[in-house]
Amino acid sequence: MGIQFGSFNAICETAALVICPLVETSQGVEPTCYSRNVEIGGTLIFQPSTCFVHIVAIIMTAIMIIHIRSKYTAVGRKEIVTFFWMYALIELLAMFLDSGIIPTDNVTYMWFAAVYTGLVASAYTCLLINGFVGFQFAEDGTPLSLWFLRISCLAVWGVSFFVAIATFQQFAGFKYTKPIGLWIIYILWPLICTVIYIVSQLILVFRTLDDRWPIGDIVFGTAFFTIAQVLLFAFSITICDSIKHYIDGLFFFTLCMLLSVMMVYKYWDSITKEDLEFSVGSKAAVWEVKDPLLAGTGTGGVDYNYSTEEDNASNYHAGGGASLVGGVSGGQLYGAPHHQAYGGPQKGGMRGYPPSAGDRY
């Protein structure tokens, strides 16, 4: 039996989704084949291999967030980092729901599942809006852009949460036996957002960028996303039976979705270049002293010792190397005989400053 619009029967018989224990019947829909569980400290952990991928996904997302936040002047930095924060939260919730740490028969499970459903829908909404940031309909990083993104995601989360919890508890006209609204939010809406995002980014690359390499990131991301859906909804039972219940399609779905999210980061990183003139670096500025007076040793009994070349390098070389200030260069005043410095007759050796009483004019 293939996938039918508005029905989770075929989907949940193939894949162990978070909402499957809460739809179609009072006991939910049990998958035909699923990954075996393990016992840790007296607690049964379901989908242990998938939980490991969830942990890896959280770690990789944290690394990507750190890299995004380090690009201080990149276009759309604040908008795209919101998507990765939401993805990290989804993976954290999925780890507790998939593993059975929150039991399916617990009254709180449906509430966490509703929160998870809302986060999935709002994360795809965030990705969709990020697809139009590059077109600069509103300047990125401004309150208009950020609050439009936040309010849109919050609105989608609120609607999705309400539809999910109303379907699970059967009120406001929603029923878990006919979860059409939940099917649209959970299955159809992510697909629509992904297609629009891919098309918008292809248009952006072809119309505004000279570099065509980002298309490769889009292709790989699309491939990983497609493979994830096919392995989960078409080959999950086959994989589970072939590997003797050690892993199922949900493992490869979670892994491929992580790879597709990483390609979203790779694509964004490839099309954004940081403006180094206004960026904030991690290294402190190194200041080099050019004034020879500041480079001297001071008055501790040691003469000021600096080269004539350094002094002349900062002076105007007209009129025999005279300075623009006072007509006398530093080398002439401090390093030459006093009368020679002022154009007078030479008398013996070098003299310091101030001149002696006999040398004054």
Side-chain angles (χ1 to χ4, degrees):
M1 182 174 60
I3 297 176
Q4 297 179 352
F5 179 82
S7 174
F8 283 98
N9 277 316
I11 294 175
C12 289
E13 287 176 357
T14 304
L17 300 180
V18 168
I19 62 174
C20 287
L22 302 169
V23 294
E24 298 296 346
T25 68
S26 59
Q27 300 298 319
V29 181
E30 184 179 354
T32 304
C33 182
Y34 50 85
S35 175
R36 64 179 67 190
N37 52 56
V38 296
E39 185 176 354
I40 300 177
T43 302
L44 284 177
I45 303 298
F46 295 89
Q47 300 284 351
S49 56
T50 304
C51 290
F52 175 76
V53 178
H54 287 317
I55 295 172
V56 173
I58 293 172
I59 296 173
M60 293 303 301
T61 306
I63 295 173
M64 289 186 286
I65 289 174
I66 292 173
H67 286 178
I68 292 172
R69 290 173 63 90
S70 67
K71 298 185 69 172
Y72 297 95
T73 59
V75 175
R77 178 178 68 96
K78 294 181 180 180
E79 287 82 359
I80 196 67
V81 80
T82 305
F83 167 75
F84 287 98
W85 278 116
M86 298 177 71
Y87 174 72
L89 190 56
I90 289 172
E91 290 299 301
L92 181 63
L93 270 178
M95 182 176 64
F96 289 104
L97 295 172
D98 288 338
S99 64
I101 295 177
I102 302 176
T104 57
D105 59 349
N106 192 294
V107 68
T108 61
Y109 183 89
M110 69 172 63
W111 293 96
F112 280 104
V115 172
Y116 173 84
T117 302
L119 282 174
V120 170
S122 58
Y124 279 98
T125 303
C126 183
L127 182 67
L128 173 64
I129 296 174
N130 268 279
F132 294 96
V133 170
F135 293 95
Q136 294 291 290
F137 293 114
E139 187 177 355
D140 64 287
T142 59
L144 175 61
S145 176
L146 292 175
W147 281 107
F148 175 76
L149 175 67
R150 293 165 182 168
I151 293 174
S152 300
C153 293
L154 182 61
V156 171
W157 180 88
V159 171
S160 302
F161 175 83
F162 174 79
V163 170
I165 200 66
T167 302
F168 300 152
Q169 294 192 336
Q170 297 195 106
F171 67 86
F174 294 93
K175 297 181 179 180
Y176 58 70
T177 55
K178 294 182 179 180
I180 297 177
L182 186 60
W183 196 93
I184 293 174
I185 291 172
Y186 200 90
I187 303 297
L188 188 59
W189 176 247
L191 182 61
I192 293 174
C193 292
T194 302
V195 171
I196 295 176
Y197 176 79
I198 293 171
V199 172
S200 66
Q201 297 317 289
L202 289 174
I203 295 174
L204 179 67
V205 171
F206 282 113
R207 292 187 61 182
T208 63
L209 299 181
D210 295 330
D211 188 8
R212 295 291 181 261
W213 284 107
I215 297 177
D217 301 326
I218 299 175
V219 171
F220 277 106
T222 305
F224 285 130
F225 179 83
T226 304
I227 292 172
Q229 313 306 315
V230 172
L231 291 178
L232 179 65
F233 298 122
F235 296 103
S236 182
I237 297 176
T238 304
I239 294 171
C240 183
D241 290 334
S242 301
I243 312 179
K244 299 180 180 179
H245 293 246
Y246 283 103
I247 57 176
D248 57 6
L250 188 61
F251 168 82
F252 291 104
F253 171 82
T254 307
L255 179 61
C256 289
M257 288 301 294
L258 170 61
L259 294 175
S260 65
V261 170
M262 292 174 66
M263 294 313 300
V264 170
Y265 163 76
K266 181 65 174 62
Y267 165 73
W268 176 84
D269 185 64
S270 66
I271 65 172
T272 56
K273 295 185 181 296
E274 189 173 16
D275 190 347
L276 297 179
E277 181 180 356
F278 299 101
S279 65
V280 180
S282 59
K283 295 183 179 179
V286 178
W287 299 93
E288 182 180 356
V289 178
K290 292 296 185 181
D291 193 337
L293 293 178
L294 298 179
T297 57
T299 59
V302 182
D303 291 337
Y304 290 97
N305 185 15
Y306 59 94
S307 64
T308 306
E309 180 181 355
E310 290 178 347
D311 180 68
N312 290 339
S314 61
N315 294 326
Y316 179 69
H317 294 289
S323 172
L324 289 175
V325 182
V328 181
S329 69
Q332 293 171 322
L333 180 61
Y334 297 109
H338 179 71
H339 294 290
Q340 182 181 357
Y342 285 92
Q346 300 183 11
K347 294 183 180 180
M350 308 287 285
R351 294 181 184 269
Y353 183 84
S356 62
D359 293 328
R360 297 180 181 174
Y361 299 94

